[in-house]
């Protein structure tokens, strides 16, 4: 049981570090341009929205607090 818990915690940490780069940085690293970049950024933004919504629910945020948190979270994930 303890090993399972440690493995789940490690996996969560690794996925958090993988998500640390913004979508814009990832697109630049992959040298994407044109339609491929647009498609990648759209999917990345959608995935970030889903992740941020889940985080807001986990934090028990509702209404304006949830909207504000989600907006900032997605903006941070997508980058400029």
């Amino acid at each position: 049981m303890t090993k399972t818990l440690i493995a789940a915690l490690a996996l969560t940490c690794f996925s958090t570090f993988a998500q640390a780069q913004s979508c814009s940085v990832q697109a630049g690293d992959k040298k994407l341009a044109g339609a491929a970049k647009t498609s990648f950024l759209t999917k990345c933004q959608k995935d970030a929205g889903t992740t941020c919504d889940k985080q807001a629910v986990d934090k028990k945020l509702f209404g304006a607090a949830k909207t504000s948190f989600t907006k900032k979270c997605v903006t941070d994930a997508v980058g400029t």
Side-chain angles (χ1 to χ4, degrees):
M1 179 76 172
T2 304
K3 290 180 182 181
T4 305
L5 182 59
I6 291 171
L9 182 60
L11 183 60
T12 302
C13 290
F14 288 130
S15 66
T16 302
F17 290 129
Q19 188 66 16
Q21 283 189 325
S22 71
C23 297
S24 297
V25 171
Q26 290 177 23
D29 289 346
K30 293 180 180 190
K31 296 181 170 89
L32 298 175
K37 182 177 180 180
T38 302
S39 176
F40 175 80
L41 291 175
T42 301
K43 182 183 182 314
C44 191
Q45 184 175 9
K46 181 180 175 188
D47 293 345
T50 302
T51 302
C52 292
D53 280 341
K54 184 180 180 312
Q55 289 176 359
V57 170
D58 291 345
K59 293 181 180 212
K60 297 179 172 71
L61 299 175
F62 299 100
K66 179 181 178 185
T67 302
S68 176
F69 172 82
T70 303
K71 182 177 179 182
K72 182 179 182 328
C73 180
V74 170
T75 301
D76 291 345
V78 172
T80 55

